[in-house]
Amino acid sequence: MTIQPLTRAALAATLIASFSHVALADMTPADVQVPDGNTVALETVGVGAITYMCEAKGDGTMGWVFKGPHAALNDSDGAQVGSYYGPPATWEALDGSKITGTQLATAANGDGNIPLQLVEANPAEGEGAMTGVSYIQRLNTQGGVAPDVACDDGHDGATAVVTYQADYIFWTAN
């Protein structure tokens, strides 16, 4: 029996779409898994950019230093439902509710990709979509790492903007 490429793609898409959050959690590194007792409240895809600046680091060497993100948070249909920006790292829904948080853990996600991340949310400001969020996961990262270009005394103060994409999953306590 021969399966045509389009049929294989359709079967793969169906299989991927059928994964439950439990199955996907099993594929997520333990360091960035959300503790038991929490439920997914909102799933978004962040599409945007991260700014880096060439400057002296704490050890005196020159390097690209993270300055902050700016991304649209989109729903599964591609409609913008919020924004992600910082510092401090802030997730804001279009209804004006927003949260900041404390990074608990990261896990590598391959060369050229920013790490996966688990953040514990601070109480929300304003009422709306971010009210009650307990954790934020950053998964399926693509891009976003510091540029692979010269950063030395001759480039001090230069900025670089690098595009990235990531899934941001918002959780609430049961």
Side-chain angles (χ1 to χ4, degrees):
M1 177 169 139
T2 304
I3 297 177
Q4 298 299 319
L6 185 55
T7 304
R8 276 185 284 200
L11 287 172
T14 301
L15 178 62
I16 290 169
S18 69
F19 280 145
S20 69
H21 289 293
V22 172
L24 291 174
D26 289 342
M27 298 180 335
T28 301
D31 288 347
V32 295
Q33 286 190 14
V34 173
D36 290 340
N38 291 277
T39 305
V40 172
L42 177 65
E43 299 180 53
T44 66
V45 176
V47 179
I50 297 173
T51 301
Y52 292 90
M53 182 176 278
C54 178
E55 61 185 46
K57 297 193 284 185
D59 63 4
T61 63
M62 294 297 290
W64 291 103
V65 176
F66 174 86
K67 290 299 176 180
H70 191 282
L73 298 176
N74 301 322
D75 66 14
S76 61
D77 294 326
Q80 186 172 356
V81 296
S83 297
Y84 172 55
Y85 55 89
T90 303
W91 296 264
E92 184 171 351
L94 291 181
D95 61 20
S97 63
K98 60 185 173 182
I99 53 174
T100 60
T102 302
Q103 177 177 284
L104 298 177
T106 62
N109 193 37
D111 290 341
N113 301 319
I114 56 175
L116 307 179
Q117 182 182 50
L118 178 62
V119 173
E120 184 173 24
N122 293 321
E125 293 180 32
E127 293 293 321
M130 296 300 171
T131 302
V133 169
S134 52
Y135 293 93
I136 306 105
Q137 275 181 311
R138 180 175 69 199
L139 303 173
N140 302 320
T141 58
Q142 299 172 22
V145 297
D148 188 18
V149 296
C151 175
D152 52 31
D153 289 337
H155 295 93
D156 190 16
T159 59
V161 177
V162 181
T163 60
Y164 88 105
Q165 179 173 314
D167 293 345
Y168 288 95
I169 314 300
F170 299 86
W171 298 75
T172 57
N174 293 343

